[in-house]
Amino acid sequence: MENRQKICVAGDHAGFELKETVKRHLAEKGFDVHDCGAAAYDKDDDYPAFAKALSAKIAGGEYARGVLFCGTGVGASIAANRRKGVRAALCFTPEMGTLSRAHNDANVLVLGARTTPVDTSLKILDAWLNGPFEGGRHQKRIDMLDEEDR
Ligand code: RB5
């Protein structure tokens, strides 16, 4: 029986090309990739739609991990992090990719297609994919994220 690791991706027009590159990279690594859109380049599409579609799948437990794209990564991060249970990390360096897993247990990686070169993006992605969560004192902080606001 096939037992490939599942991952979902999503992004707007600004992230479209990088999303397609990352999809190929993930497929080469053996991942089963689900694309939440955009299905085609459309300069008028809107990043919240795609970030919300992906974060619903993460928060609902259908996917444990996802990768989001927009021009800077900022809009997609803001949109994804509005959903409880989503820990979306906008990363610009491989070290951030590693630490977003180790300390923040980031379940969504966000990449800025207009701010980060493609080869760097793939290095960040690999660091994030390979990075284990350290737990321990960091788990307490993760738990605090989901506490009710006072
Ligand atoms: C789209 O032009 C751009 O604003 C969007 O991709 C993103 O960078 C927003 O944060």
Side-chain angles (χ1 to χ4, degrees), residues 63-115:
Y63 287 82
R65 300 262 206 124
V67 188
L68 266 179
F69 308 86
C70 71
T72 58
V74 173
S77 307
I78 293 171
N81 279 317
R82 289 193 169 195
R83 200 176 268 264
K84 193 171 180 176
V86 171
R87 293 178 301 280
L90 171 57
C91 297
F92 295 107
T93 65
E95 188 189 12
M96 289 179 77
T98 300
L99 288 174
S100 74
R101 290 287 314 132
H103 291 191
N104 313 111
D105 197 16
N107 49 14
V108 174
L109 171 66
V110 189
L111 295 167
R114 292 175 178 161
T115 53

